[in-house]
Amino acid sequence: RGGALKEDGETRGAGSSALACRAMVTAADVTVETAESRGLTGDFFEDEEEYRSALESSLSGALPDPFVRHIKLSVPAPLPEDGLSDLDRTLRALAPGDTRPVEVPLPVLRGLAGALRADSGRIGAAIVCDAEQQSLIAITPGHRNVPHYGIAVDLGTTTVAVELLDLSSGKIIAVASGYNNQVRRGVDVIGRINYASSPERLGELRAAAASSINRLAGSLAAKAVIRRDEIVAASVAGNTVMTHLFLGLDPEYLRLEPYTPTVHSVPVHSAEDLSLDIHPRAGVTIATAVGSYVGGDITAGLISTGIPGLAEGVDLFIDIGTNGEMAVGNRDFIMACACSAGPAFEGGGLTCGMRAAPGAIDRIRVDEETGAPEFGVIGGGEPAGICGSAAIDLLAELFRAGWIDSGGKLSRDRESPHLRVDGRRASYIISHNANSGVAVTEGDIDSVVRAKAAIYSAADLLLSKVGLTFADIGRVHVAGGFGRYLNIRSAVTIGLLPDIPSERFTYMGNASLKGAALMLLSGSFRKLHRDVAAMTTYVNLSNEPGYMDRYTAALFIPHTDFSRFPTVNR
């Protein structure tokens, strides 16, 4: 640390990235970080009870109406005089009176004759039930109860979460999450777009997205002791860039004016087409985007909030992640926008940052007099790093106690064994242990401040577009995987969330994953998702000159305008 790397003649300082194969050390004491050392590897199973209760409350006792159904059919035997083929009779038994076309893949057709004659015309059919068409993906002889499962996927820029569900009962079997394999090619969507500059690199990112899902789906299948080919459906929600990369679509034009995506609404594809290692003909539905940076993760998340059903009042939805997306509206209108917050809230880019996983510091309190921290660690034991929620806690605590100023600079006038000042650099030491320590630098503080400023100012501008302020909002729905540990009071103190009564906040958890699961299990939610996507107006912040003014004003704790945060000011 303190040295530099030189790559192709360009010197890169601490915190920079370089290609190791093309770099040489030009000074002593260089710190080289890999994906492993930055905590960007490792998966873990989550508490499915938390997800199950949220899903069941949304379904409100409705019977599952899954995206892929298993139907027991009794197909009449062939008669010499009717002139009907095996397929004709099967389709008549499958959907009498249904005018939607039924696609029958060749592998299914090859096994049809034998399946019909194995048990006197009694068969089981797995069928994709899309709004526009149906697809017969598997035929089994007899009326056996064939288990069939689906996966709901939140394909995030930094983190991927996968939920395994029993399609017949709607029960959540298990949930797992882990880092997106693409992170080594860019920590945010612009980095990924820049990397995908050739067909080979685009193909690499497409494969990385699929492998991220496959890795987690395989873990879930092993935990549930089921075969991968018993997973016959998938629902994927991701931002517009992630969706493009997953599909292998060139994302270049998403960042070039007029910021046009290749597609908003994606037709149903098979798992085989998308390189998903589940049943090869499994139906895969992908949540619809509404703009270049407001994707299917937001439209999926919105259907789980109740906002589309609000008769009166206006609610605000904020999804906090590498990209900060927000929407404001009710059943009559929805307006949405997105900003680049960076990976700080998910532990990325911080000196000792990590995701909210076992070993992460998830909450902190700071003694006002001594500066000593008191913290909790997920899973107990020695801390391995600090996650986003704890970073927010720390900034709030240090600010309340006067250890940092509104500009995010650590105090040079007070002494504490936890405060280390080295000339123009300073850091706050959270813990020491036998192998390493956990600390937060002023650069880390700046990353969190910039992230919170991006989100707050984007929400502020969005409300101004409809003539409202934060005081007019009935409820704020806060989504984002890291937020299960988020302290709302701390988030308000640093200026991430508005200073309004705490009872107006609702924590949604991973709303994108929840929405993907609802789409997988319920026809009414699939229709609601289409309606929400159609009614949402996208606001491109790149075309809003007032956004940068708001962003600059928010680059302080909590804000340059203290009147916006009266409880913090007190």
Side-chain angles (χ1 to χ4, degrees):
R1 190 168 301 277
L5 296 177
K6 184 170 286 187
E7 180 187 9
D8 291 346
E10 178 185 358
T11 300
R12 297 173 179 262
S16 298
S17 298
L19 295 176
C21 61
R22 297 168 64 184
M24 68 177 180
V25 177
T26 60
D29 301 329
V30 172
T31 298
V32 178
E33 295 183 340
T34 65
E36 289 77 9
S37 68
R38 292 168 57 204
L40 298 182
T41 60
D43 306 329
F44 68 99
F45 291 104
E46 308 211 17
D47 179 10
E48 57 263 22
E49 282 302 324
E50 177 184 340
Y51 293 86
R52 183 176 297 120
S53 60
L55 187 62
E56 288 175 350
S57 64
S58 293
L59 289 171
S60 301
L63 293 175
D65 175 21
F67 178 58
V68 173
R69 302 174 191 160
H70 187 266
I71 304 171
K72 295 176 182 177
L73 299 176
S74 294
V75 179
L79 297 173
E81 64 272 14
D82 65 13
L84 297 177
S85 68
D86 287 344
L87 181 59
D88 293 332
R89 299 194 320 282
T90 301
L91 295 181
R92 286 190 178 187
L94 177 67
D98 194 330
T99 59
R100 287 178 297 172
V102 179
E103 179 188 11
V104 184
L106 186 57
V108 175
L109 193 59
R110 285 171 176 159
L112 179 60
L116 286 174
R117 289 159 180 82
D119 194 5
S120 303
R122 295 193 303 174
I123 59 172
I127 184 167
V128 175
C129 302
D130 186 39
E132 303 298 329
Q133 68 172 36
Q134 302 177 90
S135 179
L136 194 59
I137 65 173
I139 293 287
T140 54
H143 282 179
R144 296 177 290 119
N145 290 322
V146 177
H148 59 304
Y149 303 90
I151 53 172
V153 179
D154 170 39
L155 183 59
T157 307
T158 303
T159 305
V160 178
V162 179
E163 194 170 77
L164 177 67
L165 301 106
D166 184 324
L167 294 181
S168 59
S169 67
K171 178 183 177 182
I172 295 175
I173 307 301
V175 187
S177 63
Y179 274 104
N180 188 329
N181 289 346
Q182 296 175 343
V183 292
R184 68 193 67 182
R185 301 308 185 195
V187 296
D188 56 23
V189 292
I190 298 301
R192 309 280 171 86
I193 291 173
N194 289 338
Y195 186 80
S197 58
S198 68
E200 293 76 20
R201 287 184 168 190
L202 177 58
E204 179 189 347
L205 291 178
R206 184 191 65 79
S211 67
S212 301
I213 299 172
N214 289 335
R215 185 183 74 242
L216 294 166
S219 297
L220 293 173
K223 183 180 182 182
V225 196
I226 67 170
R227 301 191 314 272
R228 285 176 180 255
D229 63 2
E230 292 178 312
I231 302 173
V232 295
S235 175
V236 180
N239 65 51
T240 312
V241 174
M242 289 300 101
T243 297
H244 276 56
L245 295 177
F246 178 51
L247 295 171
L249 304 177
D250 187 354
E252 174 71 6
Y253 304 103
L254 292 170
R255 70 178 181 89
L256 300 177
E257 200 170 0
Y259 315 107
T260 305
T262 299
V263 63
H264 284 130
S265 179
V266 181
V268 174
H269 290 281
S270 71
E272 188 174 41
D273 289 342
L274 297 172
S275 302
L276 295 185
D277 190 11
I278 54 179
H279 193 292
R281 293 183 295 280
V284 182
T285 182
I286 297 175
T288 299
V290 296
S292 54
Y293 293 103
V294 172
D297 52 345
I298 301 308
T299 54
L302 281 169
I303 67 175
S304 66
T305 63
I307 289 177
L310 286 175
E312 297 178 357
V314 175
D315 280 11
L316 176 66
F317 172 78
I318 302 178
D319 191 318
I320 302 173
T322 306
N323 301 297
E325 294 111 340
M326 53 280 306
V328 60
N330 55 26
R331 72 177 183 184
D332 297 321
F333 82 97
I334 297 176
M335 186 174 288
C337 71
C339 63
S340 178
F345 291 139
E346 296 180 277
L350 304 182
T351 303
C352 297
M354 64 180 292
R355 55 190 304 217
I361 296 173
D362 64 328
R363 61 188 184 278
I364 299 180
R365 294 291 175 266
V366 174
D367 186 274
E368 183 174 348
E369 298 301 323
T370 66
E374 179 183 323
F375 54 84
V377 178
I378 300 175
E382 290 288 343
I386 181 171
C387 70
S389 61
I392 291 170
D393 262 357
L394 180 60
L395 264 64
E397 288 288 301
L398 292 173
F399 180 69
R400 287 193 196 109
W403 290 99
I404 59 173
D405 61 20
S406 61
K409 295 298 181 183
L410 287 159
S411 175
R412 267 65 170 176
D413 301 324
R414 304 173 67 185
E415 292 186 359
S416 168
H418 294 275
L419 190 65
R420 180 176 297 165
V421 178
D422 181 13
R424 298 172 64 180
R425 299 180 180 180
S427 57
Y428 178 82
I429 311 302
I430 302 173
S431 76
H432 290 287
N433 57 48
N435 298 315
S436 63
V438 179
V440 171
T441 68
E442 285 182 330
D444 297 335
I445 294 172
D446 184 63
S447 294
V448 176
V449 170
R450 289 179 180 275
K452 74 91 182 175
I455 289 171
Y456 179 87
S457 54
D460 186 33
L461 182 139
L462 191 64
L463 288 169
S464 73
K465 298 286 287 184
V466 292
L468 299 174
T469 67
F470 288 113
D472 300 312
I473 295 300
R475 185 162 293 278
V476 178
H477 305 268
V478 182
F482 90 102
R484 81 186 65 183
Y485 306 104
L486 179 66
N487 183 304
I488 295 294
R489 191 66 248 162
S490 294
V492 171
T493 299
I494 72 167
L496 169 62
L497 296 177
D499 196 352
I500 59 177
S502 58
E503 62 268 18
R504 296 192 193 179
F505 290 98
T506 299
Y507 172 59
M508 300 295 300
N510 191 332
S512 172
L513 184 64
K514 180 181 173 183
L518 290 171
M519 292 167 60
L520 196 67
L521 294 176
S522 168
S524 61
F525 275 100
R526 289 193 291 276
K527 181 181 184 304
L528 179 61
H529 172 257
R530 292 192 296 271
D531 292 343
V532 164
M535 71 183 290
T536 300
T537 300
Y538 173 56
V539 176
N540 190 334
L541 294 183
S542 300
N543 298 329
E544 297 292 336
Y547 174 65
M548 286 309 298
D549 293 337
R550 284 178 163 82
Y551 172 73
T552 303
L555 286 174
F556 292 85
I557 303 173
H559 198 277
T560 53
D561 182 0
F562 261 67
S563 67
R564 289 172 172 258
F565 293 87
T567 66
V568 180
N569 197 23
R570 288 199 296 270

